Amino acid sequence: MPSFTGRVLRELESLSEKLAQEPPHPILGTASVHASLIQGGTELSTYPDYCRIDWERRTVPNETQGQVVLEIESLLAKQRAEDAAFRASAELTFWREPFEVALAEPIFLALQAACEKRLGAAPGICGFSGWTDAALLQGAGIPTVLFGPVGAGLHSAVEYVEVDSLVDMSYILAQTICEFCQE
């Protein structure tokens, strides 16, 4: 029984390595999976009677909820097939669609024009593997783009933005709204 958790962690590591070998998204790179929290046991001298692994699967555009569920169910089914005593279940507790905005979308073009007017250059395009409400808004038919000030340390102990970039961002957002709403 104590090795069940180790088996699942090895399978998650194998899945992570497989995902890293997939063709990368041009901006976001590859999808990933990792064990975020591991809980179980009551004291050092006793084998735990349960273990809970909370894992996170970060997706890229064109991946589906069904695909993610199938990955983890297949991982557990493999362990059940190898050991009849293996007992585990999985539950998807949170899902958000991956978000991507097309560079030809009117909202992006309005933002790009406002950046060029204010900064003399197009905005830098980047991606990140966290989630925002942008995918929910886009899914509801609301044109959406992510844009923010210059800074670093997103959600870390030392997070900051450059004050001058807040002024620029305010101007760019106002210009974007005016341009976009004319359509």
Side-chain angles (χ1 to χ4, degrees), residues 81-174:
E82 292 176 4
D83 183 348
F86 180 82
R87 300 283 183 266
S89 62
E91 176 187 3
L92 181 64
T93 58
F94 185 77
W95 173 260
R96 291 289 184 258
E97 294 292 329
F99 172 75
E100 180 177 31
V101 63
L103 302 183
E105 286 288 326
I107 189 75
F108 179 80
L109 295 174
L111 176 70
Q112 183 176 30
C115 282
E116 288 172 353
K117 185 174 182 180
R118 178 68 179 196
L119 304 174
I125 298 172
C126 65
F128 66 97
S129 62
W131 71 272
T132 70
D133 290 339
L136 297 174
L137 294 169
Q138 186 181 56
I142 300 169
T144 306
V145 65
L146 294 171
F147 175 73
V150 176
L154 184 64
H155 299 308
S156 67
V158 179
E159 177 179 7
Y160 69 92
V161 297
E162 296 176 11
V163 175
D164 290 344
S165 77
L166 287 174
V167 174
D168 289 335
M169 188 184 82
S170 300
Y171 174 87
I172 292 166
L173 290 175

Side-chain angles (χ1 to χ4, degrees), residues 7 11 73-88:
R7 293 181 204 172
E11 290 293 331
E73 290 297 340
S74 297
L75 181 151
L76 297 177
K78 177 182 175 194
Q79 291 305 308
R80 286 187 204 100
E82 292 176 4
D83 183 348
F86 180 82
R87 300 283 183 266

